[in-house]
Amino acid sequence: MTLIDAIGELNPWLLAALLNTGLGLVGWKLVSKLLTPTGLVHAWILGVIVWGVLGWPGYGVVLFYFLAGSAVTKIGMAEKEAAGIAEKRSGARGPENVWGSAASSTLCALATLVVPLPYRPLLCLGYVSGFSTKLSDTTASEIGKAYGNRTFLITTLRLVPRGTEGAVSLEGTVAGMLASVVIALLAWAVGLIDWIGVVWCVIAAFIATNLESVIGATVQSQFKWLTNEVVNGINTLIGSVAAMGMALAWAGLLVR
């Protein structure tokens, strides 16, 4: 038995903290550019929770989301900053970004500790779908702002400038769907969801991402508390609930 195995058997949360800290130190040069100091602390807490509950498969999904989401945010950054439509702090994530993206998935992960065993795969689906939805949304937005030839307000289909709240583009929409497929396939490959779960994640991500655009085009500007981070939290919650709802409906049809 290795030292890591011994620590894991003694206390899996201690193992989660040590491994998460070790990975952060190894990748410190990169991580310090992608997270603010307080964002780093909150990301560490998120990583410990996920590894402690779902092990390395769950951690692999959130790590992939973080790296892929950060990468697409950096695409065309100079041009987006010049146009005034780039993410603040050149895309570096703070605590509000961490939990705006991960709150619903984290709740799904923690819920697996208390629900009966037969329901745990459903919550794992909700966990994956939350990140699939957020990566889809981030990719659609960033690719649309960088490469969208024409952007339309989702509620009226009127042509609007890139970066307008509620705007969508063909390029961004396609890229967002592909991103949701990739992360869902990763989750399937590591055993968190089954093959039909990939389908639910992709559909849920598409629904949630477009509903977020509707929120941005209609009510977001009317309420000060409805910040981008709050909208992100709503977006990922819709994605998690939609995927779980479709899975339950499908299971009900199979039983009949």
Side-chain angles (χ1 to χ4, degrees):
M1 178 182 294
T2 66
L3 178 60
I4 289 180
D5 292 332
I7 295 173
E9 288 191 6
L10 179 64
N11 190 324
W13 292 96
L14 176 59
L15 175 62
L18 291 174
L19 290 175
N20 195 48
T21 301
L23 287 174
L25 291 174
V26 169
W28 173 255
K29 188 173 182 180
L30 172 63
V31 171
S32 61
K33 294 179 180 179
L34 302 179
L35 290 160
T36 67
T38 51
L40 179 60
V41 173
H42 285 257
W44 182 87
I45 294 170
L46 170 63
V48 171
I49 291 173
V50 170
W51 198 317
V53 177
L54 298 178
W56 69 266
Y59 191 89
V61 169
V62 69
L63 181 61
F64 178 83
Y65 158 74
F66 170 65
L67 294 175
S70 297
V72 297
T73 299
K74 297 292 185 182
I75 293 175
M77 180 59 72
E79 292 80 4
K80 288 184 286 190
E81 287 182 332
I85 57 175
E87 290 293 315
K88 58 185 179 181
R89 300 186 298 257
S90 296
R93 266 66 170 173
E96 71 281 8
N97 305 113
V98 171
W99 297 114
S101 301
S104 63
S105 291
T106 303
L107 289 174
C108 287
L110 289 171
T112 64
L113 296 174
V114 296
V115 301
L117 185 61
Y119 294 100
R120 291 178 188 174
L122 184 66
L123 288 165
C124 285
L125 174 64
Y127 170 83
V128 174
S129 188
F131 285 120
S132 178
T133 295
K134 191 64 195 81
L135 184 60
S136 176
D137 171 62
T138 298
T139 303
S141 176
E142 297 301 330
I143 295 300
K145 287 188 289 188
Y147 299 116
N149 286 320
R150 295 190 296 173
T151 51
F152 304 87
L153 196 65
I154 193 169
T155 51
T156 64
L157 298 183
R158 177 172 55 89
L159 282 170
V160 292
R162 296 180 188 179
T164 301
E165 290 292 349
V168 296
S169 67
L170 176 61
E171 295 84 357
T173 299
V174 172
M177 291 183 67
L178 289 175
S180 67
V181 170
V182 171
I183 193 169
L185 286 174
L186 171 64
W188 168 76
V190 298
L192 277 180
I193 59 176
D194 57 17
W195 69 268
I196 194 65
V198 175
V199 177
W200 304 143
C201 283
V202 174
I203 295 174
F206 180 78
I207 293 170
T209 298
N210 283 284
L211 285 178
E212 190 205 37
S213 295
V214 172
I215 293 172
T218 55
V219 299
Q220 184 173 358
S221 62
Q222 299 176 24
F223 302 96
K224 290 184 178 180
W225 59 268
L226 204 55
T227 63
N228 285 337
E229 291 73 34
V230 172
V231 174
N232 285 339
I234 295 171
N235 175 41
T236 53
L237 179 61
I238 292 172
S240 293
V241 171
M244 292 189 290
M246 287 186 287
L248 286 172
W250 178 255
L253 289 173
L254 292 180
V255 170
R256 292 181 182 179

